[in-house]
């Protein structure tokens, strides 16, 4: 085997793990990215034990020491963003431009939290009693377990690992099984950043074995998870029995509303970007396009014309707009929902099948259905390049359709009406709202998260990350 073999990282040492699983290239199944070994539950226990042993010293490290570690990581990621982006494109399948952008975002996140390490907030308050001082400080929550998804294999681990370390926690990071290369690359940089052994650990393996062992370990203090709703709910039940502090992001069914007064060309670009770029594999994807009846037919014509211009293929080809689906399992899911669209009587407007390419891969045409709000493709998260188009009678109907979902991550509206934009920002039942922008695409220095079944616990990213990664202590002193 000429491909690299990726190892886990525990207590400052690289650990091989058992077996030799293939790290697939979804754009070329005949040219794998590498191989990796997986850990058993005992090795995961060793990683948590190492993190627990390292916690007392790291929790008392100076803010400057933490800041320098994170700044080192961020600087190296940014310096190597093209190299890391190429690895990401080969392993996950998003286009090279998107992959390089994600690598840059990961570096920016580490840089941001390098600054936050120097700005850990606290308060000094007057007591209601004479001669007493009150101090409110934030301390690390402890050993943090991180379970990350495959769709953003650099950025999402970055926005979990960086704040955990910035605020003095120790980490056990479990990446998704299909992206071990990106996880290894990130761990390798962290291994050279000056961290004491055991502060950061990375464990490769399945959710059933590694993930379960991580959550069940008695020394784990907190769990941050991004992934599917069923997995998240199962982990939440397990964590609740142990009273773990939990933060979860579990998906979306995000609406993009297009009103009659919108700039339709701009709206089409928002819809295409949000629904189909990154192969639709974003929890913020615009999977429901809700269009006011007065411009519905015109919007359909413009969408079909724009989608016909999209090229599916090798993500390393600069002429390609949409890469492959990340795995065979996800491709099967996407094709299953396309069948469900036909079975429910939705009208296929574009796409609907696999795409032949020179290499053997998981290529799927971006797909658009004219659907009803009750159809499965309008209700359930697909996580692929498949969108449902819904007709709305007017703004009030569009808002009702937008909110008619168990999810509440992101919602968008395209309009030139300040009145409607303002009303939508206030009344959309989502954690994030976009006006004349794609629903997918957020900044790293502001809160990320949703409502309803999309999220649980404190927000991620930005200064709000301190809420999850620290615990508050109130101290009284009598002079």
């Amino acid at each position: 085997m000429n491909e690299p073999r990726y190892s886990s990282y525990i207590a400052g040492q690289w650990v091989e793990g058992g077996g030799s699983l293939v790290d697939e290239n979804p754009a070329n199944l005949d040219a794998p990215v590498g191989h990796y070994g997986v850990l058993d539950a005992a090795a995961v226990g060793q990683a948590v034990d190492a993190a627990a042993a390292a916690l007392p010293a790291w929790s008392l490290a100076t803010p400057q020491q933490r800041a320098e570690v994170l700044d080192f990581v961020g600087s190296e990621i940014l310096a190597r963003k093209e190299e890391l982006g190429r690895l990401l494109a080969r392993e996950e399948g998003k286009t090279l431009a998107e992959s390089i952008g994600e690598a840059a975002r990961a570096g920016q996140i580490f840089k941001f939290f390098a600054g936050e390490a120097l700005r850990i907030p606290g308060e000094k308050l007057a007591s209601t009693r004479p001669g007493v001082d009150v101090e409110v400080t934030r301390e690390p929550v402890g050993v943090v377990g991180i379970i990350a998804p495959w769709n953003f294999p650099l950025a999402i681990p970055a926005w979990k690992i960086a704040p955990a370390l910035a605020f003095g926690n120790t980490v056990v990071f479990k990446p998704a099984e299909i992206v071990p290369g990106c996880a290894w690359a990130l761990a390798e940089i962290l291994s050279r950043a000056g961290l004491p052994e055991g502060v950061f650990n990375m464990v490769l393996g399945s959710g059933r074995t590694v993930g379960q062992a991580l959550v069940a370990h008695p020394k784990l203090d907190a769990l941050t998870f991004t992934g599917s709703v069923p997995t998240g709910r199962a982990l939440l039940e397990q964590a609740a029995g142990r009273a773990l502090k939990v933060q979860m992001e579990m998906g979306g069914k995000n609406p993009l509303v297009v009103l009659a007064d919108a700039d339709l060309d701009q709206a089409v670009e928002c819809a295409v970007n949000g629904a189909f770029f990154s192969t639709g594999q974003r929890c913020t994807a615009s999977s429901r396009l809700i269009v006011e009846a007065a411009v519905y037919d015109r919007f359909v014509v413009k969408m079909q014309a724009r989608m016909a211009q999209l090229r599916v293929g090798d993500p390393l080809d600069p002429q390609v707009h949409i890469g492959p689906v990340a795995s065979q399992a996800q491709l099967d899911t996407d094709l299953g929902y396309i069948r469900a669209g036909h079975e429910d009587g939705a009208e296929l407007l574009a796409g609907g099948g696999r795409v032949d390419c020179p290499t053997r891969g998981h290529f799927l045409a971006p797909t658009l259905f004219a659907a009803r709000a009750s159809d499965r493709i309008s209700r359930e998260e697909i996580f692929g390049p498949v969108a449902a188009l819904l007709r709305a009678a007017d703004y009030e109907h569009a808002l009702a359709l937008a909110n008619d979902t168990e999810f509440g991550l992101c919602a968008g509206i395209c309009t030139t009406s300040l009145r409607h934009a303002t009303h939508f920002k206030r009344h959309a039942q989502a954690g994030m709202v976009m006006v004349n922008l794609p629903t997918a695409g957020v900044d790293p220095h502001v809160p990320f998260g949703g409502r309803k079944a999309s999220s649980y616990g404190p927000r991620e990213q930005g200064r709000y990350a301190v809420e999850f990664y620290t615990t508050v202590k109130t101290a009284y002193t009598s002079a």
Side-chain angles (χ1 to χ4, degrees):
M1 296 182 297
N2 295 321
E3 300 87 9
R5 179 178 170 87
Y6 302 117
S7 305
S8 296
Y9 186 71
I10 299 174
Q13 303 294 321
W14 294 103
V15 179
E16 280 295 313
S20 184
L21 301 183
V22 176
D23 180 13
E24 283 190 344
N25 176 346
N28 187 350
L29 299 176
D30 298 314
V33 177
H35 295 78
Y36 65 102
V38 298
L39 300 183
D40 57 18
V44 177
Q46 292 169 8
V48 181
D49 288 340
L55 180 63
W58 182 247
S59 67
L60 296 176
T62 65
Q64 187 64 40
Q65 182 181 354
R66 298 179 199 161
E68 288 174 358
V69 166
L70 297 177
D71 187 67
F72 173 92
V73 175
S75 294
E76 179 158 336
I77 292 173
L78 289 171
R80 295 171 56 193
K81 64 183 180 181
E82 285 83 7
E83 171 201 345
L84 294 171
R86 187 176 182 86
L87 170 63
L88 198 163
R90 292 182 62 227
E91 186 172 59
E92 194 272 346
K94 67 182 62 171
T95 64
L96 183 59
E98 290 177 314
S99 297
I100 292 173
E102 179 180 337
R105 179 178 176 184
Q108 291 162 358
I109 289 167
F110 274 97
K111 289 278 197 178
F112 175 84
F113 282 106
E116 289 301 281
L118 299 170
R119 292 189 291 266
I120 299 175
E123 293 181 283
K124 185 174 176 64
L125 302 171
S127 172
T128 58
R129 294 169 287 174
V132 175
D133 288 334
V134 180
E135 292 176 305
V136 180
T137 56
R138 288 189 174 272
E139 297 184 353
V141 71
V143 178
V144 177
I146 294 174
I147 300 179
W150 49 259
N151 61 321
F152 284 88
L154 290 177
I156 291 181
W159 84 51
K160 294 177 185 292
I161 295 168
L165 298 178
F167 300 129
N169 302 281
T170 55
V171 167
V172 181
F173 164 46
K174 184 223 167 298
E177 294 168 70
I178 67 172
V179 286
C182 286
W184 182 91
L186 188 55
E188 196 278 330
I189 295 172
L190 279 156
S191 75
R192 294 182 284 100
L195 288 169
E197 67 178 43
V199 171
F200 170 80
N201 307 271
M202 188 266 289
V203 291
L204 297 176
S206 70
R208 182 173 293 116
T209 299
V210 173
Q212 290 293 328
L214 177 60
V215 179
H217 198 288
K219 293 181 182 177
L220 192 73
D221 298 301
L223 173 70
T224 176
F225 166 85
T226 299
S228 70
V229 172
T231 302
R233 286 175 174 166
L235 289 174
L236 186 58
E237 289 180 5
Q238 185 179 358
R242 295 201 36 238
L244 280 181
K245 189 174 186 180
V246 175
Q247 174 191 69
M248 293 197 169
E249 296 295 338
M250 298 178 287
K253 195 67 180 173
N254 310 292
L256 177 69
V257 170
V258 179
L259 296 185
D261 60 23
D263 178 330
L264 281 192
D265 290 331
Q266 181 186 48
V268 165
E269 289 304 313
C270 288
V272 167
N273 182 307
F276 305 123
F277 283 13
S278 294
T279 323
Q281 296 171 154
R282 300 184 281 195
C283 55
T284 53
S286 307
S287 53
R288 293 182 298 142
L289 309 177
I290 302 169
V291 181
E292 197 169 358
V295 293
Y296 181 92
D297 292 337
R298 289 171 54 206
F299 181 84
V300 169
V301 171
K302 285 180 176 289
M303 276 292 290
Q304 289 173 319
R306 183 68 180 90
M307 291 177 68
Q309 298 172 349
L310 299 176
R311 183 177 173 187
V312 176
D314 182 352
L316 299 179
D317 183 344
Q319 302 302 314
V320 163
H321 305 100
I322 298 172
V325 175
S327 68
Q328 182 65 53
Q330 186 60 52
L331 178 62
D332 291 342
T333 296
D334 297 345
L335 292 171
Y337 275 107
I338 290 172
R339 287 193 298 272
H342 289 297
E343 291 166 0
D344 288 344
E347 178 188 356
L348 181 65
L349 299 175
R354 300 191 64 168
V355 176
D356 290 328
C357 290
T359 55
R360 191 169 62 93
H362 305 311
F363 300 104
L364 181 66
T367 299
L368 181 66
F369 280 99
R372 296 167 298 183
S374 59
D375 291 345
R376 282 183 61 196
I377 58 173
S378 304
R379 309 299 304 176
E380 300 175 15
E381 184 178 38
I382 300 172
F383 219 68
V386 182
L389 180 64
L390 306 175
R391 187 192 300 262
D394 50 26
Y395 168 73
E396 288 73 19
H397 185 209
L399 176 63
L401 287 172
N403 289 334
D404 182 22
T405 173
E406 67 171 318
F407 298 103
L409 182 56
C410 192
I413 187 169
C414 292
T415 181
T416 56
S417 166
L418 179 61
R419 179 172 67 88
H420 284 139
T422 302
H423 188 273
F424 189 82
K425 285 190 289 185
R426 176 65 182 85
H427 292 88
Q429 296 171 2
M432 299 177 289
V433 178
M434 309 292 186
V435 178
N436 295 321
L437 289 165
T439 57
V442 297
D443 290 352
H445 66 298
V446 292
F448 178 96
R451 297 164 58 175
K452 303 182 185 178
S454 287
S455 302
Y456 180 89
R459 290 288 190 261
E460 297 195 273
Q461 296 203 88
R463 300 191 69 183
Y464 284 76
V466 74
E467 297 296 334
F468 176 72
Y469 293 99
T470 65
T471 186
V472 172
K473 176 180 283 183
T474 306
Y476 298 86
T477 303
S478 171

